[in-house]
Amino acid sequence: MVQLHYSYKKLFQIYKFSSNIIGTSLLPRRFVPSHQNRHEIRFKTSGAGERALQERQRQHMARGLPKQKPIAGVKEVIVVASGKGGVGKSTTAVNLALGLMANDQSKSVGLLDADVYGPSVPRLMNLKGNPELTDNNLMRPLVNFGISCMSMGFLVEEVAPIVWRGLMVMSAIEKLIRQVDWGNLDYLVIDMPPGTGDVQLSITQNIPIAGAVIVSTPQDIALLDARRGAEMFRKVNVPVLGLVQNMSVFHCPKCNHQTHIFGSDGAKELAHTLGVEMLGDIPLHLNIRETSDKGQPVVVSSPNSPEAEAYRRVAAAVVRRLRSIQVK
């Protein structure tokens, strides 16, 4: 009797081990304990159970994401981004904001410098000083050329490095967005930092964005990162308004000969590949560099120049794309 009990005990241990490995019993039915029916039911309904688990996980993740909340007083947010630094993104963002206002004087435009580590808007817009606080303890944007501007560069010394970890950067971005008295704006242009990291994800998840403008040079290495940037916005359901091909051609100031230093039509080919619009070409011109360094953007300092006209065409194309998206 003891031996029989021992045999049943060993067989039951074998059954449990084999069930865990291959999900089925190695024993004849007469040796299977009474709870085997429950195992069989579990095996048969595992497909439905897995789908239910995936649905619960999806709902849990959705609850964990921040709710998008519009910025008070701002009608439409346009982000200007690039996958790589050094392609003229900030210069494009500044002149885009000025171009939007130049094309329609009735529109009010703001500019947010979201590049916490390397803010460029203070220099480009010729602005210095600390923002004042309202009675509600909100920061007042600094204003020049009719554009309301906010930047981390207004809060630290110009040459002071910002050595912060990710959570501190996220907190700073939240304050630059939510704790600013933007007033009533038709457009808020956000100059994003290069890349596809925490700041981009935080901004796209926290505020509704009307569309993204991707800036790139025609150079192959820059186009690779520009494509990553465009794909990132698609993954977070932000419409890609199109690409701007910056430094597209160099005009010699002496003989006016055209040279494609970074290649030709690379951004146009990428736009075709991605199925997005080509918003315009910006030349590599000494006038753009000099006016930017002086804090006198070319759209306002040389409004009749071909360079300023190029930026205004980009601004017009952005507005046209925004309206076409709204119609859809």
Side-chain angles (χ1 to χ4, degrees), residues 51-63:
R51 287 192 296 272
L53 176 62
Q54 290 174 350
E55 178 62 20
R56 287 196 299 272
Q57 290 174 340
R58 186 192 66 78
Q59 293 175 355
H60 178 73
M61 291 179 65
R63 288 196 300 270

Side-chain angles (χ1 to χ4, degrees), residues 32-300:
V32 175
S34 59
H35 61 268
Q36 169 64 14
N37 290 337
R38 293 199 297 273
H39 282 280
E40 289 179 346
I41 293 172
R42 188 182 302 133
F43 295 152
K44 291 177 182 178
T45 60
S46 61
E50 184 178 354
R51 287 192 296 272
L53 176 62
Q54 290 174 350
E55 178 62 20
R56 287 196 299 272
Q57 290 174 340
R58 186 192 66 78
Q59 293 175 355
H60 178 73
M61 291 179 65
R63 288 196 300 270
L65 291 175
K67 298 291 184 182
Q68 283 191 338
K69 181 182 177 183
I71 302 174
V74 177
K75 292 182 181 178
E76 292 183 292
V77 176
I78 303 167
V79 296
V80 180
S82 66
K84 180 177 290 296
V87 298
K89 169 185 55 61
S90 295
T91 302
T92 301
V94 165
N95 284 285
L96 170 61
L98 292 165
L100 290 169
M101 195 172 65
N103 289 343
D104 189 345
Q105 295 287 338
S106 67
K107 300 298 184 183
S108 54
V109 183
L111 179 62
L112 171 60
D113 187 353
D115 194 346
V116 173
Y117 293 116
S120 301
V121 166
R123 173 66 65 89
L124 290 168
M125 292 294 287
N126 194 27
L127 287 168
K128 292 182 179 180
N130 297 322
E132 297 179 354
L133 294 179
T134 67
D135 294 336
N136 296 326
N137 209 33
L138 298 177
M139 293 183 289
R140 283 197 180 98
L142 275 62
V143 180
N144 200 9
F145 311 119
I147 304 291
S148 300
C149 303
M150 182 52 62
S151 170
M152 180 57 66
F154 300 149
L155 307 176
V156 298
E157 295 295 328
E158 185 176 24
V159 296
I162 299 176
V163 188
W164 287 354
R165 294 186 184 274
L167 289 176
M168 295 180 68
V169 174
M170 295 304 101
S171 177
I173 291 295
E174 179 71 14
K175 287 179 172 58
L176 291 175
I177 292 174
R178 302 291 181 193
Q179 297 185 17
V180 175
D181 183 10
W182 289 106
N184 294 314
L185 297 178
D186 293 290
Y187 304 109
L188 176 63
V189 177
I190 300 182
D191 179 20
M192 301 281 269
T196 55
D198 289 343
V199 173
Q200 290 83 351
L201 190 60
S202 178
I203 290 176
T204 55
Q205 288 181 341
N206 278 281
I207 61 175
I209 296 174
V213 174
I214 308 297
V215 180
S216 179
T217 65
Q219 188 179 8
D220 288 346
I221 195 68
L223 293 168
L224 286 173
D225 292 322
R227 180 165 189 169
R228 293 188 184 100
E231 296 292 355
M232 182 211 70
F233 285 113
R234 284 180 167 175
K235 285 188 176 182
V236 294
N237 298 318
V238 172
V240 177
L241 301 178
L243 271 68
V244 174
Q245 184 168 253
N246 198 29
M247 310 181 199
S248 60
V249 62
F250 172 70
H251 293 267
C252 177
K254 293 185 177 180
C255 65
N256 205 33
H257 177 72
Q258 296 186 8
T259 304
H260 296 277
I261 295 177
F262 296 104
S264 61
D265 297 334
K268 292 181 181 178
E269 294 171 3
L270 177 59
H272 178 74
T273 300
L274 295 174
V276 300
E277 187 169 329
M278 185 67 195
L279 298 173
D281 291 271
I282 307 298
L284 177 61
H285 201 282
L286 184 63
N287 192 27
I288 297 176
R289 197 274 300 167
E290 288 181 339
T291 56
S292 297
D293 286 348
K294 293 176 182 177
Q296 301 290 322
V298 68
V299 170
V300 291

Side-chain angles (χ1 to χ4, degrees), residues 11-27 32-33 35-36 39-40 42-43:
L11 287 172
F12 181 59
Q13 289 175 346
I14 294 172
Y15 159 76
K16 287 176 65 178
F17 177 80
S18 61
S19 295
N20 290 334
I21 298 297
I22 62 174
T24 185
S25 173
L26 298 178
L27 302 178
V32 175
H35 61 268
Q36 169 64 14
H39 282 280
E40 289 179 346
R42 188 182 302 133
F43 295 152

